[in-house]
Amino acid sequence: MADELVHYDLDGGVATITLDSPHNRNALSAQLRGELTDALTRAAGDERARVIVLTHTGTVFCAGMDLKEAKGTGSDDQGVNGFPAILEQLWTSPKPVVAKLAGPARAGGVGMVAAADIAVASTDATFAFTEVRIGVVPALISVTVLPRLSPRAAHELFLTGDTFDATRAAEVGLLNAAVAPDELDTKVASYVDSLVRGGPTALTATKELLQGERGRTMGAELEKMQALSAHHFASEEGQEGIAAFGEKRPPRWVP
């Protein structure tokens, strides 16, 4: 499609989802949100896809909600109402998600970065929670952002709306790494290479573990985790991994 705003490409077990709406800085228009939802659904259900990389064309990763579409509409018709599903898809994806930024992210764009499992940006990228500057609240993205940011940084950055660079974003927990522009591809490839070495079922279960609520007591939590560990040790995937380790070969799932 000539007017397609989100592209899906699968190669070597990696599903690359590319935002391609540079004319409006990859803003979250209704069309882009719909296509992004479809692409994430496709990647989650594609057995050949082991890792999802979310990236972009143009100089900006994502400028947030499309304010032209938001102007003059009532609360029931705001585009932000269609955004929770995207954040949830990213956060709960059974496949690890890597966000790759060669340029700035703002507002909802930062929410997507935070929803990814791993986020890498070039030092050209900048970030800002600009909501307060236009009289709105970063409510929705707080669900994914606040678990990542240090509390002091969250108060400062949410309340001021100030722009901060990729190095600061890594320091406060929003990014895993900020690298020179010419090192971005290599750094993302390194993460992807590590991720595809994990067992698909094990990766999904580990994501659920990372996001789950802890038990009220140490004993109850240990009992639950013991059962989970034993299940995966005895699983077909676990037994293949153990055999591969003993035989000094890659497991069958490694592309």
Side-chain angles (χ1 to χ4, degrees):
M1 293 174 58
D3 59 349
E4 184 180 71
L5 301 183
V6 177
H7 309 306
Y8 183 92
D9 178 69
L10 181 68
D11 182 41
V14 181
T16 301
I17 298 174
T18 305
L19 309 182
D20 186 19
S21 184
H23 70 280
N24 67 350
R25 304 191 304 159
N26 289 316
L28 294 161
S29 63
Q31 180 182 345
L32 188 142
R33 292 195 313 272
E35 293 182 14
L36 178 54
T37 297
D38 291 344
L40 290 169
T41 300
R42 180 179 176 183
D46 192 336
E47 293 184 356
R48 300 168 300 168
R50 300 288 310 287
V51 177
I52 299 169
V53 174
L54 179 63
T55 187
H56 64 103
T57 64
T59 59
V60 176
F61 173 73
C62 178
M65 299 308 300
D66 190 327
L67 297 182
K68 291 181 179 179
E69 293 183 354
K71 186 177 181 180
T73 59
S75 60
D76 290 340
D77 299 317
Q78 289 291 335
V80 71
N81 295 331
F83 193 42
I86 291 172
L87 292 179
E88 186 171 8
Q89 281 182 295
L90 290 166
W91 188 270
T92 64
S93 166
K95 320 290 176 69
V97 179
V98 180
K100 177 183 178 182
L101 291 77
R106 297 290 186 269
V110 188
M112 293 197 296
V113 172
D117 297 290
I118 293 173
V120 185
S122 86
T123 48
D124 289 342
T126 59
F127 303 84
F129 303 102
T130 52
E131 287 86 348
V132 293
R133 296 287 181 94
I134 60 170
V136 298
V137 177
L140 184 54
I141 65 169
S142 71
V143 177
T144 59
V145 171
L146 291 182
R148 308 296 193 198
L149 291 190
S150 65
R152 279 294 183 192
H155 280 250
E156 172 197 341
L157 299 171
F158 271 44
L159 292 170
T160 65
D162 286 345
T163 299
F164 54 105
D165 63 20
T167 300
R168 178 85 192 281
E171 290 172 351
V172 299
L174 182 63
L175 297 176
N176 294 85
V179 299
D182 61 355
E183 297 175 1
L184 181 60
D185 289 344
T186 300
K187 187 64 174 178
V188 170
S190 175
Y191 278 121
V192 168
D193 181 64
S194 294
L195 290 167
V196 298
R197 294 177 185 275
T201 304
L203 287 171
T204 299
T206 301
K207 282 199 61 170
E208 293 173 353
L209 172 69
L210 289 166
Q211 297 168 359
E213 293 184 5
R214 294 297 178 188
R216 291 189 175 184
T217 68
M218 175 68 74
E221 188 65 15
L222 286 171
E223 182 178 357
K224 184 173 71 172
M225 292 300 105
Q226 176 270 327
L228 180 65
S229 291
H231 169 77
H232 284 280
F233 267 99
S235 70
E236 180 180 351
E237 185 174 284
Q239 290 297 303
E240 162 61 12
I242 292 167
F245 178 81
E247 296 166 12
K248 295 181 172 55
R249 60 172 175 80
R252 287 196 299 264
W253 61 71
V254 176

